[in-house]
Amino acid sequence: KKKLPRDFFTCESPLIEEPAMDIGSGKYLYRKPPFLDTTVQYSAAVEKREAFVICRMTGFLNEAALFFKRKHCNGRKINVKKEISMHDLPE
């Protein structure tokens, strides 16, 4: 929640990119915590659970942003491009 840009719910802000199709496939069994040079290993079950949450939250946030834009951006151009990469945002 801290990584979401403060201006996400505005008419001009783009939506969040969809996660990669191979998320939860066993390819990402690790995570690199912020400010550390080490990685944390995951089990396949943990990876699938976290992949599910990432996919659902991305969808929910994009739906909420579209709802906001349709209700509050009267006559203004709304940005519906999926350009925000959560992976690339600062911690």
Side-chain angles (χ1 to χ4, degrees):
K1 75 180 185 186
K2 294 178 183 179
K3 289 180 77 169
L4 193 65
R6 289 182 178 247
D7 66 343
F8 181 67
F9 289 104
T10 62
C11 301
E12 300 81 23
S13 178
L15 302 174
I16 301 169
E17 288 180 349
E18 300 291 332
M21 292 299 292
D22 61 351
I23 191 170
S25 67
K27 183 177 178 182
Y28 304 101
L29 295 175
Y30 64 92
R31 176 177 72 90
K32 186 174 184 298
F35 310 112
L36 296 177
D37 292 331
T38 61
T39 58
V40 176
Q41 298 297 316
Y42 284 153
S43 68
V46 171
E47 184 210 17
K48 284 185 181 188
R49 184 173 47 237
E50 293 203 1
F52 175 80
V53 171
I54 290 168
C55 291
R56 294 303 300 158
M57 288 304 297
T58 299
F60 290 146
L61 287 168
N62 282 342
E63 284 180 37
L66 285 173
F67 179 83
F68 171 85
K69 291 175 184 203
R70 289 184 183 126
K71 298 292 182 186
H72 298 284
C73 299
N74 302 331
R76 289 186 278 171
K77 184 170 173 68
I78 62 173
N79 188 351
V80 295
K81 296 178 185 172
K82 295 180 179 178
E83 298 177 333
I84 297 176
S85 172
M86 294 302 283
H87 180 71
D88 296 335
L89 292 175
E91 293 292 327

